[in-house]
Amino acid sequence: DGGITQSPKYLFRKEGQNVTLSCEQNLNHDAMYWYRQDPGQGLRLIYYSQIVNDFQKGDIAEGYSVSREKKESFPLTVTSAQKNPTAFYLCASKEGAWQPQHFGDGTRLSIL
Amino acid sequence: GQQLNQSPQSMFIQEGEDVSMNCTSSSIFNTWLWYKQDPGEGPVLLIALYKAGELTSNGRLTAQFGITRKDSFLNISASIPSDVGIYFCAGSIAGNNDMRFGAGTRLTVKP
């Protein structure tokens, strides 16, 4: 089936630890995105990438890092510099300019 | 960045009732999108709007792109229990790399 796969579904982070969230898509989409969702708020953009080996900061990039070595993969690392990492993280992709973004099922990150 | 105000924040309705929710922006958008999110899952696209004044339906759902390009609304007719969830509006100026999201409308449908 074509789609966007995020893993793991649930993730726990210890103090001072970096954790990496996986996002894979088999839709052949060029652009991929990472959002953070907190209760009662709209989604906020962390990073996005329009092509392989290129990515741009979103509104809340501090404490996060990404890579885009392959078209189908856009992993997000939550570093120890992110002091409030507890949230629901959503990955999205889209086919081309003016096309809507489609989302994976999310990863819920919590602090141990 | 642009602020999207989505209202109402929550709605409690009886099965069979119609529902209306809307989003307003301080800035003009070129695209309006409406998504639905179920608990623990990602948002699913319901309707995409690309032209001012456009009225688009998807089954029992109807959405409109406001003439001023600063607002959009979503109507759900004859609600059913599976309509429960959080509905988000999203607006974009340039090619959907810069989407802004409303805070969501949480819909509860009582059987």
Side-chain angles (χ1 to χ4, degrees):
Chain A
D1 281 351
I4 303 167
T5 302
Q6 291 188 240
S7 62
K9 185 72 174 172
Y10 300 95
L11 189 57
F12 297 90
R13 196 191 89 168
K14 294 180 183 177
E15 197 75 35
Q17 188 182 40
N18 293 352
V19 291
T20 297
L21 285 59
S22 169
C23 179
E24 303 276 330
Q25 52 98 2
N26 60 4
L27 301 167
N28 201 34
H29 287 175
D30 285 315
M32 297 185 74
Y33 306 81
W34 275 106
Y35 290 91
R36 171 180 172 137
Q37 185 176 29
D38 294 285
Q41 295 188 37
L43 280 64
R44 292 183 290 167
L45 182 63
I46 304 172
Y47 270 98
Y48 69 97
S49 167
Q50 297 193 75
I51 55 172
V52 174
N53 292 323
D54 185 58
F55 47 82
Q56 308 295 329
K57 291 182 179 180
D59 298 322
I60 56 167
E62 187 173 344
Y64 301 97
S65 66
V66 293
S67 63
R68 187 86 187 276
E69 297 176 3
K70 298 186 295 183
K71 187 175 185 178
E72 60 268 26
S73 179
F74 190 39
L76 173 74
T77 296
V78 184
T79 75
S80 56
Q82 173 49 248
K83 296 307 178 190
N84 183 24
T86 298
F88 192 51
Y89 290 87
L90 287 160
C91 177
S93 70
K94 72 177 177 78
E95 185 173 2
W98 300 104
Q99 295 300 309
Q101 295 179 23
H102 296 273
F103 289 85
D105 277 341
T107 292
R108 186 166 298 283
L109 176 62
S110 303
I111 296 289
L112 273 181
Chain B
Q2 301 87 0
Q3 297 295 315
L4 280 190
N5 296 308
Q6 187 171 349
S7 65
Q9 278 189 324
S10 60
M11 302 182 74
F12 295 82
I13 61 170
Q14 286 292 140
E15 183 176 358
E17 288 183 0
D18 296 344
V19 171
S20 184
M21 59 192 78
N22 69 84
C23 260
T24 59
S25 168
S26 57
S27 304
I28 287 173
F29 285 122
N30 291 318
T31 305
W32 281 98
L33 304 169
W34 284 92
Y35 290 88
K36 181 188 178 218
Q37 185 177 28
D38 291 328
E41 298 183 13
V44 174
L45 180 69
L46 298 174
I47 294 179
L49 302 160
Y50 296 101
K51 201 161 73 169
E54 181 181 355
L55 185 72
T56 297
S57 292
N58 177 7
R60 293 179 295 107
L61 278 60
T62 301
Q64 184 158 30
F65 192 139
I67 287 290
T68 65
R69 292 163 62 196
K70 291 184 177 182
D71 60 351
S72 178
F73 73 75
L74 175 71
N75 284 346
I76 305 173
S77 63
S79 58
I80 58 178
S82 63
D83 290 334
V84 165
I86 303 177
Y87 292 80
F88 289 99
C89 62
S92 169
I93 293 176
N96 293 333
N97 279 332
D98 60 337
M99 280 198 337
R100 291 289 181 260
F101 287 81
T105 295
R106 183 180 294 273
L107 179 63
T108 302
V109 179
K110 292 180 280 189

